[in-house]
Amino acid sequence: MKKTSPFLYTIIFFFVAVILGLGYYRQQQRVRKVLQQNERLLNENRDLKQSLNLASGAAQQIADRKDQQQRVQGKFVERRTYYRRNWKQFISVNTSDYKTGFFGGIKNLQVIVKNQTEYPLDNVVVSVQYLRSNGDVFKTEQYTVNDIPAKATRAVDAAGSRKGMKVQLKLISITSQAMNFCWAFNKPAPEGNPDPFQCVAD
């Protein structure tokens, strides 16, 4: 029986290896192509999702802005009325951290008006009473704070004193044309009037 030549086995093995190698290479090419397509689709989906989120956010902002404008327009007078009726919750006066001497005396005093309404205040008149250690008033000064913006504070310097240990503030009047608001401590509110501090009837 004639033996098969080892060279023949080598050739056969070589061709089988080439065929398997080509098959593996083509398979890797297909896998790489599928992965690239999947990555491209994922990127497209991500970009599309971001675009949709941006469009949705912009649409929601527009809707919220329109809704807010409608509420503001519909409640403009009601909001002013609310602030007029409840002004003590939104307008206040206080002093700065002034200094007192060892034997009395006041310096670095400021009168501060805080306006938490949505409307500017034209002027706020404040009375400052200078008190002795026993609580007696020995001097009173009056100050006007002008043009306090909405949601803001404004301060004016007040006179110092060689005597006194503390001061006491008293609101005298408040005026705001934008809010149609006129209040004065010596002007009592008429009974039965639901909006007594309205400057001019709408």
Side-chain angles (χ1 to χ4, degrees), residues 140-180:
T140 300
E141 301 281 350
Q142 191 165 289
Y143 298 93
T144 300
V145 185
N146 297 310
D147 302 323
I148 304 101
K151 302 289 185 179
T153 60
R154 181 149 290 178
V156 296
D157 294 329
S161 172
R162 293 183 178 180
K163 297 184 291 183
M165 296 299 294
K166 61 181 180 179
V167 297
Q168 183 172 287
L169 304 183
K170 180 180 179 182
L171 268 171
I172 302 300
S173 65
I174 307 171
T175 304
S176 171
Q177 293 184 4
M179 193 166 34
N180 194 16

Side-chain angles (χ1 to χ4, degrees), residues 25-39:
Y25 175 77
R26 290 175 180 173
Q27 183 181 12
Q28 290 300 310
Q29 287 288 93
R30 288 195 295 269
V31 170
R32 190 177 296 109
K33 189 174 182 180
V34 170
L35 290 176
Q36 289 176 348
Q37 290 177 346
N38 287 340
E39 184 177 1

Side-chain angles (χ1 to χ4, degrees), residues 11 59 63 116 150 180 188:
I11 293 175
Q116 293 181 289
N180 194 16

